[in-house]
Amino acid sequence: MENLAYLANASNLVLYLSEYMHFSPSKSANSVTNFMGTAFLLALLGGFLSDALCTTYHIYLISALIEFLGLVVLTIQARSSSLKPPKCDLGATNVQCKQVHGGQAAMLFVGLYLVALGVGGIKGSLPPHGAEQFDEATPQGRKQRSTFFNYFVFCLSFGGLIAVTFVVWIEDNMGWQWGFGIATLAILLSIPTFLAGSPFYRNKIPGGSPLTTISKVLIAALLNSCVSRNSSTAIASMASSPSPPIPTGNESGQNSKDVESIETPSTSLSFLNRAVLDTPACGALKCSVQQVEEVKIVMKIFPIFACTIMLNCCLAQLNTFSVQQAATMNTKLGSLKVPPASLPIFPVVFIMILAPVYDHFIIPFARRVTKTEMGISHLQRIGIGLFLSIVAMAVAALVEIKRRRVVTDSGLLDSTKPLPITFFWIAFQYLFLGSADLFVLAGLLEFCFSEAPVSMRSLATSLTWASLAIGYYLSSVIVSIVNSVTGISKHKAWLSGSNLNHYRLERFYWLMCILSALNFIHYLFWAAKYKYRSVRSSK
């Protein structure tokens, strides 16, 4: 329900901003990527609050109410013509459309970013809340948790399927006030649905700010390394710094690897071991070995997280330039005219088919072959997704070359008429990027949750959404850099102007393909070095 409410607007928002708020194509694209990036980045706030102050249960409820409020604001604006700029003919060359400004712009962005705040809180709290319901002390519980993450992505896709078909059609044919209204109703209904499970939920009690622990260890290691010390006080007496128990409320079957006392710091990232000196530079910064080891785990996860950012930069194109490409093409399917924003139906349907096939057929087969509990490791799943993103960008470039050839041959370079080429060509890049998203999203969610310390799990899981956020922001940055660099010469910038037919989008896609390939090589380096916290055999 939440993803229905969010994706119904995000997938079509680029057209709403250009047609009703009169933004240019590139400004509409950047506004959408900034909005989506902010929403996912705020998942870190939701994860942090879930670990430090409130349970994931309460963060979800608060965030759902905030998103509901934002959608109410957008619905009111879409319904009232006085709250939008005057209508104008976008195809007329002698008419200057007035872009939204002043109080109207303020209302638009207040609504959008209230939605972003709510989405961030939900993304940061709901996945770890679901994963906490399983007993990770048993192989069966861990396998069920893995299934949960697969079906979590499946349900995101199911909500997306309704959003990009039914709701987008409503927005394009009956008005945006109806589309926003459906999204508002969906998020409102999600609240009692979530509350219905309250008697059965297990909630982890917040154990204090994970950022405090991370900052404390890093600062202690830095300060202690700056102070000259005798070799006799190089390492603390481990018996005097036992690992503090991690409060987990009524979470049963907690993994022993998180609660057993650690007496000797590991040799990896050894510079952090300076944080456990007998006589630290500052008494308030004295750290236990357990705290140091937890920070090491987070730091080892970080390079893997960073390598997924480029994929999400590619995914940003599905909501921006790909939708605008499809809008220039023939979107008729028989007598039915398909809205361009419904294109995500291709990866969504594919994910809904692939997720159960992966969970019920591919993984059991892989477990039998490899004799391991996971079958296909988290890092292998992420690697497959990153490779598919390279293929997707190459396909996108080839499709754009074909589209531009049709533009030239048909003499429609400056026309707003649909091109004599079906929008199904765009489906290929959606298909590959959708597959990449399934492998990386589910793999990274489970990887971060299972590898992170219990006290930091919500925050670590939120890194998955932060990767999406940074990817969307990076997409905006790359577009701006490309325009700045290519606009220096006498030639026109690749991605500027109001007519997509004048863009050199295929060159941009080739650039993204090259960057994705370099990122994949970078990922292989870190994945080969990573050592899982525990390796269990299949039972």
Short mmCIF file of all heavy atoms in Angstrom, two decimals, residues 457-493:
data_model
loop_
_atom_site.label_atom_id
_atom_site.label_comp_id
_atom_site.label_asym_id
_atom_site.label_seq_id
_atom_site.Cartn_x
_atom_site.Cartn_y
_atom_site.Cartn_z
N ARG A 457 20.99 -2.63 13.30
CA ARG A 457 20.39 -3.27 12.13
C ARG A 457 19.47 -2.35 11.33
O ARG A 457 19.49 -2.36 10.10
CB ARG A 457 19.64 -4.53 12.56
CG ARG A 457 20.57 -5.71 12.72
CD ARG A 457 19.82 -6.95 13.10
NE ARG A 457 20.69 -8.12 12.95
CZ ARG A 457 20.36 -9.34 13.35
NH1 ARG A 457 19.20 -9.52 13.95
NH2 ARG A 457 21.18 -10.34 13.17
N SER A 458 18.64 -1.58 12.01
CA SER A 458 17.73 -0.69 11.27
C SER A 458 18.52 0.35 10.48
O SER A 458 18.21 0.63 9.32
CB SER A 458 16.77 0.00 12.24
OG SER A 458 15.93 -0.94 12.88
N LEU A 459 19.55 0.91 11.10
CA LEU A 459 20.37 1.90 10.41
C LEU A 459 21.11 1.27 9.24
O LEU A 459 21.18 1.85 8.16
CB LEU A 459 21.37 2.52 11.39
CG LEU A 459 22.27 3.63 10.83
CD1 LEU A 459 21.42 4.82 10.38
CD2 LEU A 459 23.30 4.07 11.86
N ALA A 460 21.65 0.06 9.46
CA ALA A 460 22.39 -0.62 8.39
C ALA A 460 21.48 -0.96 7.23
O ALA A 460 21.84 -0.79 6.06
CB ALA A 460 23.07 -1.88 8.93
N THR A 461 20.26 -1.45 7.54
CA THR A 461 19.31 -1.78 6.47
C THR A 461 18.92 -0.54 5.68
O THR A 461 18.69 -0.60 4.48
CB THR A 461 18.06 -2.44 7.08
OG1 THR A 461 18.45 -3.54 7.89
CG2 THR A 461 17.13 -2.94 5.99
N SER A 462 18.90 0.59 6.38
CA SER A 462 18.55 1.86 5.71
C SER A 462 19.60 2.27 4.68
O SER A 462 19.32 3.10 3.81
CB SER A 462 18.38 2.98 6.74
OG SER A 462 17.35 2.67 7.65
N LEU A 463 20.80 1.70 4.78
CA LEU A 463 21.83 1.99 3.77
C LEU A 463 21.36 1.59 2.38
O LEU A 463 21.76 2.19 1.38
CB LEU A 463 23.13 1.26 4.12
CG LEU A 463 23.93 1.80 5.31
CD1 LEU A 463 25.13 0.89 5.58
CD2 LEU A 463 24.40 3.23 5.06
N THR A 464 20.50 0.55 2.31
CA THR A 464 19.96 0.13 1.01
C THR A 464 19.22 1.28 0.34
O THR A 464 19.39 1.54 -0.85
CB THR A 464 19.00 -1.06 1.21
OG1 THR A 464 19.69 -2.11 1.89
CG2 THR A 464 18.49 -1.58 -0.12
N TRP A 465 18.39 1.97 1.12
CA TRP A 465 17.62 3.09 0.58
C TRP A 465 18.51 4.31 0.39
O TRP A 465 18.28 5.11 -0.53
CB TRP A 465 16.45 3.40 1.50
CG TRP A 465 15.65 2.19 1.85
CD1 TRP A 465 15.58 1.57 3.07
CD2 TRP A 465 14.84 1.40 0.97
NE1 TRP A 465 14.76 0.48 3.01
CE2 TRP A 465 14.30 0.34 1.73
CE3 TRP A 465 14.51 1.49 -0.38
CZ2 TRP A 465 13.45 -0.62 1.19
CZ3 TRP A 465 13.67 0.53 -0.92
CH2 TRP A 465 13.14 -0.51 -0.15
N ALA A 466 19.51 4.47 1.25
CA ALA A 466 20.45 5.58 1.08
C ALA A 466 21.21 5.44 -0.23
O ALA A 466 21.54 6.44 -0.89
CB ALA A 466 21.43 5.64 2.25
N SER A 467 21.49 4.20 -0.62
CA SER A 467 22.14 3.96 -1.91
C SER A 467 21.25 4.46 -3.05
O SER A 467 21.73 5.09 -4.00
CB SER A 467 22.41 2.46 -2.08
OG SER A 467 22.89 2.18 -3.38
N LEU A 468 19.94 4.21 -2.95
CA LEU A 468 19.01 4.73 -3.94
C LEU A 468 19.04 6.26 -3.95
O LEU A 468 19.06 6.88 -5.01
CB LEU A 468 17.59 4.25 -3.60
CG LEU A 468 17.20 2.85 -4.08
CD1 LEU A 468 15.94 2.38 -3.37
CD2 LEU A 468 16.99 2.84 -5.59
N ALA A 469 19.05 6.85 -2.76
CA ALA A 469 19.04 8.30 -2.65
C ALA A 469 20.26 8.92 -3.31
O ALA A 469 20.15 9.83 -4.15
CB ALA A 469 18.99 8.71 -1.17
N ILE A 470 21.43 8.41 -2.95
CA ILE A 470 22.67 8.96 -3.50
C ILE A 470 22.71 8.73 -5.01
O ILE A 470 23.20 9.57 -5.77
CB ILE A 470 23.89 8.35 -2.80
CG1 ILE A 470 23.85 8.67 -1.31
CG2 ILE A 470 25.19 8.87 -3.41
CD1 ILE A 470 24.89 7.94 -0.48
N GLY A 471 22.17 7.59 -5.45
CA GLY A 471 22.12 7.31 -6.88
C GLY A 471 21.28 8.34 -7.63
O GLY A 471 21.66 8.82 -8.70
N TYR A 472 20.12 8.71 -7.06
CA TYR A 472 19.27 9.72 -7.69
C TYR A 472 19.94 11.09 -7.68
O TYR A 472 19.88 11.83 -8.67
CB TYR A 472 17.92 9.78 -6.99
CG TYR A 472 16.98 8.67 -7.40
CD1 TYR A 472 16.58 7.68 -6.50
CD2 TYR A 472 16.49 8.60 -8.69
CE1 TYR A 472 15.73 6.65 -6.88
CE2 TYR A 472 15.63 7.58 -9.08
CZ TYR A 472 15.26 6.61 -8.17
OH TYR A 472 14.42 5.61 -8.55
N TYR A 473 20.58 11.43 -6.56
CA TYR A 473 21.30 12.71 -6.51
C TYR A 473 22.45 12.70 -7.51
O TYR A 473 22.69 13.70 -8.21
CB TYR A 473 21.86 12.94 -5.10
CG TYR A 473 20.84 13.39 -4.09
CD1 TYR A 473 20.76 12.80 -2.84
CD2 TYR A 473 19.95 14.43 -4.38
CE1 TYR A 473 19.82 13.21 -1.89
CE2 TYR A 473 19.02 14.85 -3.45
CZ TYR A 473 18.95 14.24 -2.21
OH TYR A 473 18.03 14.65 -1.29
N LEU A 474 23.18 11.59 -7.57
CA LEU A 474 24.31 11.49 -8.50
C LEU A 474 23.84 11.63 -9.94
O LEU A 474 24.54 12.21 -10.77
CB LEU A 474 25.03 10.15 -8.30
CG LEU A 474 26.28 9.92 -9.15
CD1 LEU A 474 27.34 10.97 -8.87
CD2 LEU A 474 26.84 8.51 -8.91
N SER A 475 22.64 11.10 -10.22
CA SER A 475 22.09 11.24 -11.57
C SER A 475 21.92 12.71 -11.93
O SER A 475 22.28 13.14 -13.03
CB SER A 475 20.74 10.52 -11.65
OG SER A 475 20.12 10.75 -12.90
N SER A 476 21.38 13.50 -10.98
CA SER A 476 21.22 14.94 -11.23
C SER A 476 22.57 15.61 -11.43
O SER A 476 22.73 16.47 -12.30
CB SER A 476 20.49 15.59 -10.05
OG SER A 476 19.18 15.07 -9.92
N VAL A 477 23.55 15.21 -10.61
CA VAL A 477 24.89 15.80 -10.72
C VAL A 477 25.52 15.47 -12.07
O VAL A 477 26.10 16.34 -12.73
CB VAL A 477 25.78 15.30 -9.56
CG1 VAL A 477 27.23 15.72 -9.79
CG2 VAL A 477 25.28 15.84 -8.23
N ILE A 478 25.39 14.20 -12.48
CA ILE A 478 25.97 13.78 -13.76
C ILE A 478 25.33 14.54 -14.92
O ILE A 478 26.01 14.97 -15.85
CB ILE A 478 25.85 12.26 -13.95
CG1 ILE A 478 26.75 11.52 -12.95
CG2 ILE A 478 26.21 11.85 -15.38
CD1 ILE A 478 26.64 10.01 -13.02
N VAL A 479 23.99 14.69 -14.87
CA VAL A 479 23.30 15.45 -15.93
C VAL A 479 23.83 16.88 -15.98
O VAL A 479 24.11 17.41 -17.07
CB VAL A 479 21.78 15.44 -15.68
CG1 VAL A 479 21.08 16.45 -16.59
CG2 VAL A 479 21.20 14.05 -15.92
N SER A 480 23.99 17.50 -14.82
CA SER A 480 24.49 18.87 -14.79
C SER A 480 25.93 18.96 -15.30
O SER A 480 26.28 19.87 -16.07
CB SER A 480 24.43 19.42 -13.36
OG SER A 480 23.09 19.44 -12.89
N ILE A 481 26.77 18.01 -14.89
CA ILE A 481 28.17 18.01 -15.34
C ILE A 481 28.26 17.78 -16.85
O ILE A 481 29.01 18.46 -17.56
CB ILE A 481 28.98 16.94 -14.58
CG1 ILE A 481 29.12 17.33 -13.10
CG2 ILE A 481 30.36 16.75 -15.22
CD1 ILE A 481 29.81 16.26 -12.27
N VAL A 482 27.47 16.82 -17.34
CA VAL A 482 27.46 16.53 -18.78
C VAL A 482 27.06 17.77 -19.57
O VAL A 482 27.68 18.10 -20.59
CB VAL A 482 26.52 15.34 -19.08
CG1 VAL A 482 26.20 15.26 -20.57
CG2 VAL A 482 27.13 14.04 -18.61
N ASN A 483 26.02 18.46 -19.11
CA ASN A 483 25.59 19.68 -19.80
C ASN A 483 26.65 20.77 -19.74
O ASN A 483 26.87 21.50 -20.72
CB ASN A 483 24.28 20.19 -19.21
CG ASN A 483 23.08 19.44 -19.74
OD1 ASN A 483 23.13 18.86 -20.81
ND2 ASN A 483 21.99 19.47 -19.00
N SER A 484 27.32 20.90 -18.60
CA SER A 484 28.36 21.92 -18.46
C SER A 484 29.55 21.64 -19.37
O SER A 484 30.07 22.53 -20.04
CB SER A 484 28.83 21.99 -17.01
OG SER A 484 27.78 22.39 -16.16
N VAL A 485 29.98 20.38 -19.39
CA VAL A 485 31.16 20.00 -20.18
C VAL A 485 30.86 20.05 -21.68
O VAL A 485 31.62 20.62 -22.46
CB VAL A 485 31.65 18.60 -19.77
CG1 VAL A 485 32.76 18.12 -20.71
CG2 VAL A 485 32.14 18.61 -18.33
N THR A 486 29.73 19.47 -22.08
CA THR A 486 29.41 19.42 -23.51
C THR A 486 28.94 20.78 -24.04
O THR A 486 28.97 21.02 -25.25
CB THR A 486 28.33 18.37 -23.80
OG1 THR A 486 27.14 18.67 -23.02
CG2 THR A 486 28.82 16.98 -23.42
N GLY A 487 28.49 21.67 -23.13
CA GLY A 487 28.04 22.98 -23.56
C GLY A 487 29.15 23.99 -23.73
O GLY A 487 28.92 25.10 -24.21
N ILE A 488 30.38 23.61 -23.34
CA ILE A 488 31.52 24.52 -23.47
C ILE A 488 31.87 24.76 -24.93
O ILE A 488 32.18 25.86 -25.35
CB ILE A 488 32.74 23.97 -22.70
CG1 ILE A 488 32.45 23.98 -21.19
CG2 ILE A 488 33.99 24.79 -23.01
CD1 ILE A 488 33.55 23.32 -20.36
N SER A 489 31.80 23.69 -25.72
CA SER A 489 32.16 23.79 -27.13
C SER A 489 31.05 24.50 -27.92
O SER A 489 30.05 24.94 -27.37
CB SER A 489 32.39 22.39 -27.71
OG SER A 489 31.19 21.63 -27.64
N LYS A 490 31.25 24.60 -29.21
CA LYS A 490 30.27 25.26 -30.07
C LYS A 490 29.01 24.42 -30.22
O LYS A 490 27.97 24.92 -30.62
CB LYS A 490 30.89 25.52 -31.46
CG LYS A 490 32.04 26.52 -31.42
CD LYS A 490 32.60 26.74 -32.83
CE LYS A 490 33.77 27.73 -32.79
NZ LYS A 490 34.34 27.94 -34.14
N HIS A 491 29.13 23.12 -29.93
CA HIS A 491 27.97 22.25 -30.04
C HIS A 491 27.03 22.47 -28.86
O HIS A 491 27.44 22.90 -27.78
CB HIS A 491 28.42 20.79 -30.09
CG HIS A 491 29.29 20.49 -31.26
ND1 HIS A 491 28.81 20.39 -32.55
CD2 HIS A 491 30.63 20.26 -31.34
CE1 HIS A 491 29.81 20.12 -33.37
NE2 HIS A 491 30.93 20.04 -32.67
N LYS A 492 25.76 22.12 -29.07
CA LYS A 492 24.77 22.26 -28.01
C LYS A 492 25.00 21.20 -26.95
O LYS A 492 25.44 20.08 -27.24
CB LYS A 492 23.37 22.11 -28.61
CG LYS A 492 22.25 22.40 -27.63
CD LYS A 492 20.89 22.26 -28.32
CE LYS A 492 19.77 22.53 -27.34
NZ LYS A 492 18.44 22.37 -27.97
N ALA A 493 24.70 21.54 -25.68
CA ALA A 493 24.83 20.57 -24.59
C ALA A 493 23.97 19.34 -24.88
O ALA A 493 22.89 19.46 -25.47
CB ALA A 493 24.44 21.21 -23.27
#
